[in-house]
Amino acid sequence: MSVSRRDFLERSAALAAAGFVPRLPEDWWSTATAPAPGTTPGYRARPVVVSSANGIRGVKVAYDRMVTGQDPLDAAIAGVNIQELDPEDQSVGYGGLPNEEGVVQLDAACMHGPTRRAGSVAAIEDIATPSLVAKAVMDYTDHVMLVGTGAKRFAKAMGFQERNLLTEKSRQDWMRWKSRLNANDAWLDHDDDIKVKFTTGTINMNAVNASGDIASVTTTSGMAWKVPGRIGDSPIIGAGQYCDNLVGAAGSTGRGEANIKTCASFLAVEFMRQGLAPQQALLKTLERVVAMTETRLLGPNGRPKFDLEFYAITKDGRYAGATLYSGGRFAVCDERGARLEEAAFLYRR
């Protein structure tokens, strides 16, 4: 059954009134919180890069490259490459904690505001910089997402080199986890170190240059000890990150499953399109995440048992970070240099 544009807008307005979707003007796709480059003579933005806290080194690299003329996406990817190649960051790239079978599987996605393009890879193995493979998907194919063995074949065809991503440190953590699955199995418990690591960490980075051009990238090794083939929010456009050159960008780290169900990064950008400041948009998005959380994942107080963090920038250079629970920080770099700032939050721990 066909639906006219008028019927669609009327139904959307009814849903918005009921609190299910953001209420937008009829020309929502062409409005923004700031004018597009070229529409206002001499338009200038304030260059800024924001990311998850583990990107404190990367935001400086990205900012310095961007202000000297490099494309904001290339700059942001250079920033996240630092963590992808750092074996001490066990939530991203080389040295990431593996799945339940001891295999490191990586996800990444990127978006380029000026050209309205995107690229993504998921469950890719043996390639340390999935963010660069995601950009290659964007640059050289008519697709947006490649997954698994297909993504790896594509990467090798593009010249990326294979390497074993499982470091000895991560392998030992996997062995500790595996040994404690069942007290009666044939694996000996590591009683010398009973702490089992678990991570849902990621790095998201968003950048805007002086012309107001925006880019976003997210990359991760995903949830530790995951079921093989599990894909989180990071490679999903609109969930792990989203970028609209008329408005801004947003991205996330934390429990990807909660993010996927709300298309949360897209939602944050749409809230900013309506005129909400970045911090307001992120807190409102987190409220939606809570509303969509399954009962089994809620504590006795009705609050989620997990955490989720968001980061956002606007076209004119405003930015924010927000988390479900207090204590979070995020990285930012602008004309004042790279630093960590306190994130806004819904709940105090």
Side-chain angles (χ1 to χ4, degrees):
M1 180 180 68
S2 63
V3 179
S4 71
R5 179 171 176 270
R6 180 176 179 179
D7 288 340
F8 173 79
L9 290 170
E10 288 176 349
R11 293 178 188 180
S12 298
L15 287 170
F20 291 103
V21 296
R23 190 164 192 164
L24 304 172
E26 289 195 11
D27 60 344
W28 63 270
W29 54 86
S30 61
T31 59
T33 56
T39 59
T40 300
Y43 175 77
R44 300 285 288 178
R46 185 169 69 91
V48 63
V49 181
V50 297
S51 85
S52 44
N54 57 345
I56 185 62
R57 294 176 296 169
V59 291
K60 173 63 172 159
V61 169
Y63 181 83
D64 288 347
R65 291 189 177 211
M66 192 171 63
V67 297
T68 57
Q70 190 170 93
D71 182 89
L73 181 55
D74 290 331
I77 289 177
V80 301
N81 286 163
I82 294 174
Q83 298 310 120
E84 287 179 323
L85 296 171
D86 183 355
E88 296 304 312
D89 188 334
Q90 291 181 287
S91 67
V92 182
Y94 176 56
L97 292 177
N99 64 24
E100 66 179 11
E101 295 179 350
V103 178
V104 180
Q105 294 182 313
L106 307 178
D107 305 325
C110 64
M111 293 191 74
H112 187 244
T115 58
R116 301 181 295 279
R117 294 182 300 158
S120 169
V121 292
I124 189 172
E125 300 175 8
D126 302 323
I127 306 294
T129 53
S131 63
L132 284 169
V133 183
K135 186 174 186 295
V137 172
M138 183 187 83
D139 286 339
Y140 296 104
T141 80
D142 189 38
H143 308 314
V144 169
M145 177 182 282
L146 296 178
V147 304
T149 57
K152 180 178 175 179
R153 282 198 299 267
F154 169 79
K156 291 172 63 178
M158 296 300 299
F160 289 87
Q161 298 299 308
E162 287 186 77
R163 68 183 300 183
N164 180 9
L165 302 180
L166 187 66
T167 61
E168 180 61 18
K169 179 179 179 180
S170 290
R171 190 184 73 84
Q172 288 293 329
D173 287 331
W174 172 68
M175 291 290 289
R176 289 187 184 91
W177 170 80
K178 187 177 180 66
S179 72
R180 293 192 165 272
L181 286 178
N182 184 344
N184 298 315
D185 62 23
W187 293 91
L188 298 178
D189 289 353
H190 285 243
D191 291 323
D192 56 322
D193 181 5
I194 63 172
K195 182 178 180 181
V196 176
K197 292 184 180 180
F198 184 86
T199 180
T200 55
T202 300
I203 181 169
N204 164 253
M205 191 171 292
N206 309 292
V208 59
N209 65 14
S211 298
D213 286 332
I214 309 165
S216 181
V217 59
T218 300
T219 179
T220 187
S221 58
M223 186 180 290
W225 332 129
K226 60 192 175 186
V227 174
R230 177 264 186 184
I231 295 172
D233 62 319
S234 295
I236 299 176
I237 305 301
Q241 54 83 42
Y242 192 75
C243 170
D244 185 324
N245 216 52
L246 292 175
V247 184
S252 175
T253 61
R255 182 176 168 81
E257 281 76 3
N259 201 2
I260 292 171
K261 293 193 300 180
T262 53
C263 302
S265 293
F266 172 82
L267 183 59
V269 172
E270 291 308 305
F271 281 140
M272 291 192 294
R273 190 193 303 277
Q274 294 179 67
L276 293 185
Q279 183 172 300
Q280 292 175 295
L282 296 184
L283 290 173
K284 196 171 181 66
T285 299
L286 284 166
E287 290 174 354
R288 184 63 183 151
V289 169
V290 175
M292 285 294 293
T293 298
E294 303 164 48
T295 302
R296 68 182 178 88
L297 295 173
L298 296 174
N301 57 4
R303 296 177 181 179
K305 298 177 183 178
F306 57 86
D307 207 350
L308 192 60
E309 304 84 27
F310 287 99
Y311 322 93
I313 56 170
T314 62
K315 186 176 184 64
D316 55 7
R318 292 170 292 147
Y319 65 87
T323 69
L324 278 173
Y325 293 96
S326 62
R329 297 195 295 174
F330 66 101
V332 58
C333 189
D334 54 18
E335 70 279 1
R336 294 187 289 149
R339 60 196 181 276
L340 292 174
E341 293 192 3
E342 297 298 317
F345 56 89
L346 275 188
Y347 307 120
R348 189 169 298 280
R349 290 189 186 275

